[in-house]
Structure formats: structure tokens, C-alpha cells
């Protein structure tokens, strides 16, 4: 998750210091750039966020003031979301118009629950960016065009909109008529818009905006005397060894703190010009972001211009940056702090360790440094490898999640490669973090020979990688001495000498690091973050003879019984392996009849009130929704109901009504997060089902849970010799 955290941080910084403009129009009048979201659903703020046009009247009668002109929203042909990685879950677009009530929530799913765009709904993946044709994507599009003000909303229920890592969003279309009619607001756009004059160099040519200059604050040099000496720390411009000046502070618009854990109590932060002491609470008493603060995982960004001491900098000759943290030692809590200045960054030469001499590389350098304590709530089939990777200090996740189904980009793969290689060579991680992590990782990989400087994959570091490309990027991490051939005759049905990166694939295959499945490797297949954990755990454990990783369960040596715990998820005996499926079929009709013909439920095995049919609580917890295939569209009012037994709940009945609009192409798709359905991780039994109140159960032909489900399948025993 470092990729998502760092990229979303860069977007936040760019918005703070003006590198992302709020909304600007391209010179050709075809692009209307959208800045920060101006609306979050108070009932689901993480998953539902969007832009509101100026003058929009809310349901309570209040009038919204924003920078967005409804004329551009209504004239736009496309919405484009630029992102560093493709979505890994269901993506929706919603609009609300002048009516603004529950009947005016017009939602349409444009990417399925695996993140695959639906071209019929106007969604097309361009690299990792998504172009959305609004006439196809927006439900009731003709009604949308007839509004005077609108909300345009993005919904990402799998992990929250912030996890998309959107770096730029804009509307695209022919806006020339708006400019012609709008006079100062449109045609000229004053100094800001149509001409884009002076802004052209910064905003007109995509991808050429100067990077923000970053000044590291270095080691803490200030300690407040008294009872809170450990809690009140900071950095002084006039201290010995100071890495920043008062002029840096005057030029800075934001400060960033990278911390070990998100705050759970109030945090103070301020600037003390010429010794003047003052402080500002930048979070609430529960650790939530204040008006001058954004918090993304373990990264806190502070708008310095909103601090009490900022104005005093104008005449100051020295200053101290102050932090008050009362959840422990501030020095231990903050792992890195830096200022973000306007203007182009100084050329940065990434710090990379000198190429260690042969003989210092040792797989024994890989040791467990963390204890896993249910750190990730979203583990899937690769869970065992993800946990081990965390224990070895290779991955950390974010906000209690790892996002194992997310795609891996070239730059993220190289950041992992740099970390593994550095530990392998020196026993220490690479230390590549912060705003320039991607550039630093690429520089490391080139300087230490992990990839060639002209490697074609470096042309687009934000592109997602295939399985073959991932193997290529990681094939040079280990030295030849740790790639001993253990399977000389291994072959894959779908890998030939003409296959891209053939040599890299076969080198790791012969070393036992990759094994494929059912005699195939699937070189062009997508490569997820979960799959990456399996591969790099094999990289660090197979050469050392350590149990771990395991893309497939390894066959036992001749005459040797497999040990307990070997295999994909550590199943006993080695005679089963974990496989991942995206559908888990349920019996029809549901076994629990509540109201004949209208209301039925399914029960997990722990619900002993009814006969179990094989649905475990673990499977239910991996589900993100349920699909009901029907031979006719549902009519009337319908609902989803559920009950669960936990230490705090004894099967309390809960019911969520849903719209018939969820029925599309013969399928009624219910996304749990969309309805506010959440099953507790502590549940011991559950019961859930549907109320089809027009007695339409006879039309139900198939029902299945959707998600990523770990199921066991037998492993063929090796033939006796």
C-alpha cells in the first residue's frame, strides 16, 4: 500500500501548493480539470465522493458554493480519471440533480467487482486510466442533461475512493460554446481559463508540471523543557546540523509527517518565529484531520498557511517547527518530516548503497522483524505469503489492509525489488520512502543492475505488470549462487523460446522459485499484489531452504512425507491446495423459509438452528456481495436481511431495502458495502437472505456470493516410481 499512500499524498501536496488547478480549461476548450472532491456522503464518506456544481441546492435548502460551473458538467462527453493503477474492485458513477432526494440517486456500475471496465457502460481502460463516456455510463442520461445543477459522484466500495489514487480528473468535450456565451467566465476565462496564458507552461502540457521541492527536516533538534519533554519535540533553524532555513519555512506551503501509526488523539503542530511560542491542534480529540490537515494512512500533511504562527515568519530571522504528540515519544512516532516548497525541485541524486562486493550477499540476511497481529483485514488466497512478507519487513499495508487483489505497477515492483535486494546485500532495507520513492526505486534498480537503463518497461513506470514482466523485473535480485537448479527439465505449456522474458522465467522456474499451475505459467496474466507476495517470499525463502511462499504446494521429496503447514495456505498433509474462485454458489431455493414464496435465508454452518449445507463463516467473510440471476425483472419493494452471532450481537434482525435498478441483464447484483451490510470478523454464525415481496422466487435460477474465496482442491499425488 505504500504505492497508493505515496501517490495520494503527492496529489494532496499538489493541490495544496497549486500544482493541480481548480478547475481549469484547456486552450482547445476540450478539457475541464477537476480538483479536490467537494462532496462526501456523510453516510459513507470513504466510498462515495464527488464534485458539486456552484449553486447546487442541498436537501436541507442550503446552497453550495464551489468553483465548478454546471454548464461544463452538462456539456461534457467524458469523465477521465488518471490513476497509477487500475481499479481492483467495483467502480460506480452516480449523479444527482435538482431534485436531490433518495429518488434522485442515479447509480451505474462501470467496472465489475474484479475491476474490469464495462465497455457497454462507456468505460474503457487506457493504461491504468479510465475514460468514461457519460452518455453510456450515467443512468437516465437524458434526465441528467435537463438539470441546472448537479453532483457527479465516484463510488468505490471495495476499499474507498482514496485508494484509487486518482492523480487527475477532468471532463472532456466541446466547451467552445460555453466560452463564447460566458464572456469573462468562459471565452477569456480571465487570467485563469481559456487562454491559460501564463498557466500554460504549468497546466497546458500534461506531465510537464515541475515537481515540488522537498526539504527534509532531518533529526529533531528541539525539546520543550518540563513534564512533556518526550511529547513536545521539533526542529530549529539555528540548531547545529539544521537541514533547513527560515527562508525555507517562508517559502513552504505544507509540511509532511510520516508516522508509525495514525493519530488517535489530538496532535499539536506549529511554527515558533523568533521564539514566539504558540500551538495549533491539527487533529480532533479522536485523531481525525482538522481543517488544515489531511491524513492518508500513516502520512499527515499540514497546510502551514493556516497555522497560528505562520504570519510571524514574514519578519523572523529564525524559527522552530513544533510538534506536540501525547500518545508516546514524539521522536519515535515520527519517522520522517519534510517541508514542501513551491517551485521546481532541485535535481535529486537518489541515495543508493554502493554495489556490495561478491560474498556479502547472503539469504541469511532475511530475518523476521515484525510480529503479525491481524494487521490486515482483507487477506485472500495469498494470505500466508502476505503475513510472512509483513513479518520479514518487506510489506506494511495501510489502514489495516493490504489490497491483495490490486494490480502491481512497474515502479511498485521495483520498489519491492530494491527493498529485497538491499536486505540481501546489507541486511538493511533500502530506506526508499517519501515523495520521490518511485524515482529512487528506479534509480536504485538501474544503478545496481536489476534492470537496464533502456528497459522498455521503464517507459511507463505506472503501467501494471504481467506475470512475465514481474519475473523479469525481479530476476536479477539474487546472485547465481542462490539460484541453484533444482528442476532442470521443467517446462510450461504456454512458455516457449519466443515468449517475452523466456530466460528469466526459466531461470526462476528451474530454481524452484516459480512453479506455475496445471503445467502452465500464464505469462500474460495479470499480476496482483497478493501474487507478488507469493513470488518474493519464494525469492527469499527457497534459496535458504526455509518454508514459505509457495505459488503451489511443493511436491515431497522421494520417500519423504510432506510436513504439516506446507502448501498455499498451510493446509495439513500437503494433499490439498488452496485455490481462489470469484463466485461461491448457494442452493436455490434458500434452505430457510421465513415467508413462503417471498422471504428465504441461507445459514452458515455455525447456525445450528437449521441444517447446515456447507457454508462456513470464513467464506461469508470473504464475500463482497451477492448475485441473484432471475428470468424476469423484480418488481415491487425488495430487501436484503441478515443476522449474525458475535460476542456483542445475538442474531439481531437487520434489513436493508434495495432498488430494482440493481437488476441488469438478468442479474440482481447487491454489493454489501453499497447497502451498508457488514459482517463482523468475530461472527460465529450468520443467516442472510432476500425478501422478494412480489413472490418472484420462482423466477430465481441461480444465486452466488461474489468476492475472492479460498477453497480447497485435492492435489494429485506424484506417480510412484
Amino acid at each position: 500500500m505504500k504505492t497508493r499512500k505515496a501517490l495520494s499524498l503527492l496529489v494532496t501536496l499538489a493541490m495544496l501548493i497549486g500544482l493541480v488547478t481548480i478547475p481549469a480549461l484547456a486552450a482547445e476548450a476540450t478539457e475541464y480539470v477537476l480538483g479536490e472532491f467537494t462532496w462526501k456522503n456523510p453516510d459513507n464518506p470513504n466510498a462515495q465522493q464527488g464534485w458539486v456544481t456552484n449553486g447546487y441546492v442541498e436537501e436541507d435548502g442550503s446552497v453550495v458554493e464551489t468553483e465548478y460551473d454546471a454548464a461544463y458538467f452538462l456539456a461534457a462527453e467524458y469523465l477521465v480519471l488518471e490513476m497509477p493503477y487500475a481499479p481492483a474492485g467495483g467502480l460506480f458513477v452516480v449523479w444527482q440533480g435538482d431534485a436531490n432526494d433518495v429518488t434522485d440517486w442515479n447509480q451505474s456500475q462501470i467496472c465489475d467487482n474484479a475491476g474490469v471496465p464495462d465497455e457497454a457502460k462507456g468505460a474503457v481502460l487506457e493504461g491504468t486510466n479510465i475514460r468514461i463516456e457519460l452518455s453510456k455510463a450515467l443512468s437516465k442520461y437524458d434526465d441528467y442533461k435537463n438539470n441546472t445543477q448537479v453532483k457527479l459522484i465516484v463510488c468505490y466500495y471495495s476499499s474507498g475512493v482514496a485508494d484509487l489514487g486518482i492523480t487527475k480528473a477532468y471532463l472532456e468535450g466541446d466547451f467552445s460554446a460555453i466560452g463564447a456565451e460566458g464572456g469573462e467566465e468562459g471565452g477569456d476565462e480571465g487570467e485563469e481559463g481559456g487562454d491559460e496564458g501564463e498557466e500554460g507552461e504549468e497546466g497546458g502540457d500534461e506531465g510537464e508540471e515541475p515537481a515540488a521541492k522537498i526539504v527534509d527536516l532531518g533529526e529533531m533538534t528541539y525539546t520543550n523543557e518540563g513534564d512533556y519533554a518526550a511529547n513536545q519535540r521539533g526542529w530549529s533553524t539555528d540548531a547545529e546540523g539544521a537541514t533547513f532555513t527560515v527562508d525555507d519555512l517562508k517559502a513552504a506551503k505544507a509540511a509532511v509527517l510520516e508516522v508509525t501509526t495514525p493519530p488517535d488523539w489530538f496532535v499539536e503542530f506549529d511554527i515558533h518565529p523568533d521564539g514566539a511560542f504558540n500551538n495549533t491542534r491539527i487533529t480532533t480529540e479522536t485523531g481525525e484531520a482538522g481543517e488544515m490537515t489531511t491524513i492518508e494512512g500513516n502520512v499527515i500533511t499540514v497546510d502551514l498557511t493556516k497555522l497560528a504562527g505562520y504570519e510571524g515568519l514574514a519578519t523572523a530571522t529564525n524559527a522552530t517547527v513544533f510538534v506536540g504528540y501525547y500518545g508516546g515519544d514524539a521522536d519515535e512516532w515520527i519517522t520522517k518530516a519534510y517541508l514542501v516548497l513551491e517551485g521546481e525541485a532541485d535535481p535529486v541524486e537518489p541515495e543508493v548503497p554502493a554495489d556490495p562486493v561478491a560474498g556479502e550477499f547472503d539469504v541469511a540476511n532475511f530475518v523476521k522483524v515484525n510480529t503479525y497481529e491481524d494487521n490486515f483485514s482483507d487477506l485472500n488466497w495469498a494470505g500466508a505469503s502476505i503475513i510472512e512478507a509483513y513479518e520479514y519487513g518487506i510489506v506494511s499495508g495501510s489502514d489495516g489492509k493490504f489490497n491483495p487483489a490490486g494490480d502491481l505497477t512497474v515502479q511498485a515492483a521495483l520498489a519491492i525489488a530494491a527493498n529485497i535486494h538491499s536486505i540481501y546485500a546489507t541486511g538493511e532495507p533500502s530506506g526508499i520512502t517519501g515523495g520521490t520513492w518511485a524515482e529512487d526505486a528506479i534509480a536504485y534498480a538501474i544503478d545496481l543492475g536489476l534492470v537496464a537503463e533502456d528497459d522498455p518497461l521503464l517507459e511507463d513506470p505506472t503501467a501494471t505488470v504481467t506475470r512475465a514482466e514481474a519475473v523479469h523485473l525481479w530476476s536479477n535480485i539474487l546472485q547465481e549462487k542462490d539460484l541453484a537448479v533444482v528442476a532442470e527439465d521443467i517446462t510450461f505449456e504456454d512458455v516457449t523460446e519466443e515468449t517475452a522474458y523466456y530466460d528469466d522465467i526459466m531461470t526462476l522456474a528451474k530454481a524452484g522459485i516459480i512453479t506455475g499451475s496445471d503445467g502452465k505459467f500464464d505469462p500474460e496474466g495479470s499480476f496482483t499484489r497478493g501474487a507478488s507476495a507469493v513470488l518474493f517470499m519464494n525469492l527469499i525463502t527457497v534459496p535458504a531452504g526455509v518454508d514459505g511462499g509457495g505459488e503451489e504446494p511443493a511436491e515431497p521429496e522421494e520417500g519423504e512425507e510432506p510436513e504439516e503447514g506446507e502448501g498455499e495456505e498451510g493446509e495439513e498433509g500437503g494433499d490439498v491446495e488452496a485455490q481462489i474462485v470469484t463466485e461461491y454458489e448457494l442452493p436455490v431455493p434458500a434452505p430457510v423459509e421465513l415467508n413462503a414464496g417471498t422471504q428465504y435465508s441461507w445459514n452458515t454452518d455455525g447456525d445450528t438452528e437449521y441444517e447446515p449445507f456447507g457454508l462456513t463463516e470464513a467464506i461469508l467473510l470473504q464475500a463482497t456481495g451477492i448475485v441473484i440471476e432471475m428470468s424476469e425483472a423484480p418488481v415491487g419493494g425488495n430487501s436484503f436481511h441478515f443476522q449474525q452471532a458475535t460476542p456483542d450481537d445475538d442474531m439481531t434482525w437487520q434489513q436493508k431495502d434495495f432498488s430494482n435498478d440493481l437488476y441488469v441483464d438478468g442479474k440482481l447484483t447487491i454489493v454489501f458495502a453499497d447497502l451498508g451490510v457488514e459482517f463482523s470478523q468475530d461472527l460465529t454464525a450468520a443467516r442472510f437472505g432476500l425478501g422478494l415481496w412480489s413472490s418472484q422466487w420462482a423466477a430465481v435460477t441461480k444465486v452466488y456470493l461474489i468476492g475472492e474465496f479460498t477453497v480447497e482442491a485435492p492435489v494429485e499425488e506424484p506417480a510412484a516410481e
Side-chain angles (χ1 to χ4, degrees):
M1 296 296 287
K2 284 185 178 178
T3 304
R4 296 176 183 265
K5 180 176 73 175
L7 286 165
S8 58
L9 167 63
L10 289 176
V11 177
T12 303
L13 296 179
M15 289 178 173
L16 279 171
I17 66 176
L19 294 182
V20 175
T21 58
I22 305 291
L25 205 59
E28 298 83 359
T30 60
E31 185 178 299
Y32 187 74
V33 180
L34 305 175
E36 293 182 89
F37 291 116
T38 55
W39 181 86
K40 295 181 180 180
N41 188 349
D43 296 326
N44 200 351
N46 293 327
Q48 298 174 343
Q49 301 182 26
W51 302 274
V52 186
T53 60
N54 188 46
Y56 188 90
V57 180
E58 291 285 11
E59 194 169 5
D60 62 3
S62 61
V63 180
V64 177
E65 293 184 7
T66 71
E67 300 295 328
Y68 300 119
D69 186 339
Y72 293 98
F73 283 68
L74 298 174
E77 298 176 31
Y78 296 92
L79 169 64
V80 181
L81 305 179
E82 294 188 0
M83 304 177 292
Y85 31 74
L91 184 63
F92 301 73
V93 289
V94 179
W95 69 270
Q96 284 186 289
D98 298 327
N100 189 23
D101 56 30
V102 293
T103 65
D104 195 33
W105 181 268
N106 303 285
Q107 177 170 294
S108 179
Q109 184 167 3
I110 61 169
C111 292
D112 68 16
N113 293 323
V116 178
D118 185 346
E119 292 191 17
K121 293 291 183 64
V124 177
L125 199 62
E126 298 176 342
T128 57
N129 304 329
I130 287 194
R131 176 179 295 276
I132 305 160
E133 187 174 351
L134 297 178
S135 63
K136 295 180 179 179
L138 296 185
S139 174
K140 303 177 184 176
Y141 179 70
D142 289 340
D143 292 345
Y144 168 82
K145 299 276 285 184
N146 289 327
N147 285 277
T148 59
Q149 303 294 341
V150 292
K151 286 179 185 173
L152 190 57
I153 303 163
V154 176
C155 302
Y156 192 56
Y157 297 106
S158 59
S159 57
V161 173
D163 217 24
L164 288 170
I166 298 173
T167 57
K168 181 179 180 182
Y170 57 93
L171 299 171
E172 194 174 89
D174 182 0
F175 303 126
S176 56
I178 300 173
E181 295 170 4
E184 292 180 343
E185 229 178 11
D188 277 345
E189 277 262 277
E191 297 175 354
E192 198 177 74
D195 188 5
E196 283 235 312
E198 296 171 6
E199 180 134 327
E201 292 181 11
E202 185 173 295
D205 296 329
E206 286 185 42
E208 296 183 6
E209 294 152 342
K213 182 177 181 180
I214 291 176
V215 176
D216 197 328
L217 295 180
E219 298 293 328
M220 287 184 169
T221 56
Y222 168 82
T223 302
N224 192 25
E225 298 179 1
D227 295 337
Y228 298 103
N231 311 108
Q232 298 178 341
R233 301 293 309 278
W235 304 262
S236 295
T237 60
D238 56 355
E240 184 177 353
T243 60
F244 68 108
T245 67
V246 70
D247 288 334
D248 289 332
L249 274 174
K250 292 176 181 179
K253 298 300 181 185
V256 178
L257 303 178
E258 296 184 6
V259 297
T260 56
T261 58
D264 56 7
W265 201 23
F266 73 82
V267 176
E268 298 169 338
F269 188 98
D270 217 325
I271 299 168
H272 300 165
D274 290 333
F277 190 94
N278 46 71
N279 56 28
T280 305
R281 289 191 180 184
I282 62 170
T283 69
T284 66
E285 291 186 357
T286 56
E288 297 174 348
E291 63 176 9
M292 72 292 293
T293 316
T294 59
I295 300 176
E296 294 282 347
N298 292 6
V299 178
I300 303 172
T301 305
V302 184
D303 183 348
L304 298 182
T305 64
K306 296 182 180 179
L307 298 181
Y310 183 77
E311 291 184 0
L313 278 176
T315 58
T317 58
N318 64 76
T320 297
V321 178
F322 166 88
V323 176
Y325 172 68
Y326 303 96
D329 190 323
D331 194 14
E332 294 180 359
W333 180 58
I334 299 171
T335 59
K336 185 175 183 179
Y338 49 93
L339 303 174
V340 181
L341 283 63
E342 288 186 330
E344 189 167 356
D346 295 330
V348 177
E349 292 296 330
E351 294 183 11
V352 297
D355 194 356
V357 298
E360 291 185 352
F361 291 90
D362 194 342
V363 291
N365 287 336
F366 296 109
V367 294
K368 293 185 177 182
V369 295
N370 295 323
T371 300
Y372 182 78
E373 297 177 345
D374 296 327
N375 300 75
F376 307 129
S377 62
D378 58 347
L379 297 182
N380 63 1
W381 63 274
S385 295
I386 295 168
I387 290 171
E388 281 199 299
Y390 171 81
E391 292 173 335
Y392 277 93
I394 297 172
V395 301
S396 61
S398 179
D399 297 330
K401 295 183 178 181
F402 181 74
N403 188 28
D407 290 328
L408 196 72
T409 62
V410 172
Q411 60 195 21
L414 290 178
I416 294 170
N419 208 32
I420 297 174
H421 183 271
S422 182
I423 296 172
Y424 177 51
T426 68
E428 298 294 332
S430 65
I432 293 174
T433 59
T436 60
W437 68 268
E439 294 88 341
D440 294 349
I442 293 170
Y444 183 110
I446 293 173
D447 288 354
L448 294 184
L450 303 186
V451 295
E453 187 172 5
D454 59 353
D455 192 304
L457 293 182
L458 298 183
E459 294 177 3
D460 184 6
T462 64
T464 56
V465 296
T466 64
R467 288 168 55 83
E469 289 168 346
V471 167
H472 166 65
L473 293 174
W474 292 353
S475 62
N476 292 321
I477 293 176
L478 298 183
Q479 291 196 329
E480 187 175 349
K481 67 184 180 68
D482 290 317
L483 291 173
V485 174
V486 297
E488 179 68 50
D489 297 330
I490 189 170
T491 60
F492 299 115
E493 295 177 20
D494 53 357
V495 175
T496 68
E497 292 185 3
E498 285 71 40
T499 301
Y501 310 118
Y502 170 80
D503 290 339
D504 297 330
I505 295 170
M506 298 314 300
T507 295
L508 296 192
K510 291 178 180 180
I513 291 170
I514 58 175
T515 58
S517 179
D518 297 327
K520 297 181 179 180
F521 177 67
D522 188 19
E524 297 301 316
S526 61
F527 194 69
T528 64
R529 290 167 52 82
S532 73
V534 174
L535 178 50
F536 56 68
M537 281 312 304
N538 280 353
L539 274 171
I540 73 174
T541 57
V542 170
V546 179
D547 288 338
E551 189 168 338
E552 297 176 338
E555 288 189 354
E557 296 290 332
E558 183 178 355
E560 179 183 343
E561 290 296 322
E563 295 181 6
E564 181 179 1
E566 290 183 351
E568 193 72 42
E569 289 279 66
E571 293 84 358
E572 286 188 17
D575 56 354
V576 295
E577 67 176 351
Q579 294 184 349
I580 185 169
V581 296
T582 56
E583 296 180 4
Y584 190 91
E585 190 164 355
L586 301 174
V588 178
V592 181
E593 181 179 273
L594 302 179
N595 291 302
T598 61
Q599 202 170 22
Y600 293 85
S601 292
W602 294 270
N603 57 297
T604 64
D605 291 348
D607 179 15
T608 56
E609 185 176 343
Y610 297 95
E611 188 71 22
F613 65 88
L615 175 63
T616 66
E617 288 73 29
I619 289 293
L620 180 58
L621 288 175
Q622 293 171 343
T624 58
I626 187 170
V627 175
I628 302 93
E629 295 187 3
M630 304 177 65
S631 59
E632 60 185 42
V635 296
N638 303 303
S639 62
F640 179 87
H641 57 262
F642 63 104
Q643 301 164 267
Q644 54 185 324
T646 71
D648 301 318
D649 191 354
D650 187 20
M651 303 294 273
T652 301
W653 178 274
Q654 299 182 65
Q655 181 169 308
K656 306 287 186 179
D657 296 335
F658 58 84
S659 167
N660 293 330
D661 290 344
L662 299 182
Y663 180 82
V664 178
D665 296 333
K667 297 179 181 180
L668 182 63
T669 302
I670 298 172
V671 178
F672 289 157
D674 193 5
L675 288 189
V677 175
E678 183 176 359
F679 291 101
S680 169
Q681 296 293 318
D682 298 326
L683 70 82
T684 56
R687 199 178 304 152
F688 60 95
L690 297 169
L692 299 176
W693 299 107
S694 296
S695 300
Q696 290 183 282
W697 270 95
V700 176
T701 57
K702 182 180 179 181
V703 179
Y704 50 93
L705 297 172
I706 52 176
E708 291 186 346
F709 306 102
T710 303
V711 297
E712 293 182 352
V715 175
E716 295 182 7
E717 294 293 331
E721 294 186 4

